[in-house]
Amino acid sequence: MTNIILLGPPGAGKGTQSKKLENILNVIQLSTGDMLRAEVASGSDLGNQAKDVMDAGGLVSDDMIIGMISKRVDQDDCAQGFILDGFPRTVPQAEALGIMLAEKSLNLDHVIELTVDDEAMVDRICGRYTCAKCGSGYHDSFQKPAQEGVCDKCGGKEFSRGVDDNTDTVRARLKAYHEQTAPISTFYGEIGILKQVDGMAEIENVTRQLENIVS
Ligand code: AP5
Ligand code: MG
């Protein structure tokens, strides 16, 4: 079993690299952003509470997120391990995660931060789109499907773009990251578990850097 946290600002490549590591390590990606978007789409109470905060680029309450992750980690598909993508995002979330893992007798094997330049993140996020059928991620310039308009993985021909993937929201998300999430790097640095990789390198190169750490 391998349990990993991937840290980094919006657009750093957490989702992109989690998908690669899922295949390499046979573990599962747990993206709190994806979980919240599914709640919003389903119109659940949790989704309705989260929607406005997400649209504004702010952070959803710690309690809501911690409860969501705690339940998710208990599911069978997490038995081989998980990659936390987008969680923890505040120091209270990191502290709660520590307690939660101890209660479940689980270890944290790696905390890896993708370091990037903020300015490049706006282009990365605004050019991002996903296959509407299987959720595979693409980018207008940096990660095109082999055949234009056709998903490499499932052959789907419909794609969607995130409602919060516009310049204004990305800037608000970057601000929230620096104010509320960046202190987590210090938190894990002090525990001595934090490693950093260059997230500005090409996608395949970043994957190789991660593989060197986790394997
Ligand atoms: P979330 O969905 O987690 O968004 P985020 O953290 O802002 O991160 P992104 O998904 O935008 O970026 P990413 O690092 O995954 O980059 P990606 O791989 O897609 O959260 C959304 C919202 O939900 C939050 O704003 C908040 O409101 C709420 N939320 C979620 N979790 C929460 C929590 N724990 N607490 C409170 N609130 C929470 O890459 C981006 C693009 O760049 C892609 O198109 C990709 O192809 C391309 N790309 C990736 N790597 C490279 C590279 N090396 N070179 C060139 N292009 C690249
Ligand atoms: Mg993501």
Side-chain angles (χ1 to χ4, degrees):
M1 184 175 198
T2 309
N3 299 324
I4 299 171
I5 297 176
L6 273 191
L7 293 176
K14 303 181 296 295
T16 304
Q17 298 299 334
S18 295
K19 290 281 174 217
K20 307 249 183 205
L21 290 177
E22 270 192 331
N23 295 329
I24 295 168
L25 295 172
N26 190 27
V27 297
I28 192 143
Q29 171 198 24
L30 301 183
S31 157
T32 43
D34 287 350
M35 290 180 208
L36 288 169
R37 282 182 287 277
E39 295 285 348
V40 172
S42 77
S44 68
D45 286 350
L46 203 153
N48 291 335
Q49 284 175 54
K51 187 180 183 310
D52 290 345
V53 182
M54 292 173 75
D55 286 348
L59 295 187
V60 174
S61 83
D62 288 339
D63 288 348
M64 193 189 282
I65 296 285
I66 292 160
M68 198 172 73
I69 279 285
S70 179
K71 267 194 230 153
R72 185 65 188 82
V73 164
D74 292 337
Q75 291 177 18
D76 290 347
D77 58 358
C78 294
Q80 299 300 318
F82 45 80
I83 305 162
L84 296 171
D85 159 7
F87 175 87
R89 226 175 177 101
T90 61
V91 171
Q93 287 183 21
E95 289 166 347
L97 174 67
I99 295 167
M100 182 197 309
L101 293 177
E103 282 171 359
K104 296 178 195 288
S105 302
L106 295 172
N107 286 327
L108 188 55
D109 298 290
H110 305 283
V111 180
I112 309 172
E113 180 180 7
L114 302 167
T115 62
V116 290
D117 300 337
D118 264 25
E119 273 318 300
M121 297 305 105
V122 178
D123 282 347
R124 278 200 192 174
I125 290 179
C126 294
R128 166 171 70 180
Y129 60 96
T130 51
C131 171
K133 203 166 147 197
C134 76
S136 291
Y138 296 98
H139 189 280
D140 292 326
S141 317
F142 308 131
Q143 199 184 8
K144 299 179 186 174
Q147 190 187 340
E148 204 188 317
V150 183
C151 175
D152 292 341
K153 199 168 171 196
C154 76
K157 290 185 178 156
E158 279 181 43
F159 298 88
S160 64
R161 288 179 190 260
V163 281
D164 54 353
D165 285 352
N166 57 72
T167 307
D168 286 348
T169 310
V170 172
R171 296 224 178 267
R173 279 156 61 190
L174 284 166
K175 189 164 176 277
Y177 177 83
H178 288 291
E179 288 175 1
Q180 297 175 72
T181 307
I184 292 186
S185 302
T186 314
F187 177 90
Y188 287 115
E190 282 170 357
I191 297 174
I193 194 177
L194 181 74
K195 299 221 168 87
Q196 291 178 320
V197 306
D198 173 16
M200 292 307 293
E202 286 186 5
I203 293 173
E204 302 303 328
N205 179 309
V206 178
T207 308
R208 277 198 297 278
Q209 295 180 60
L210 290 170
E211 267 191 281
N212 285 340
I213 293 175
V214 298
S215 58

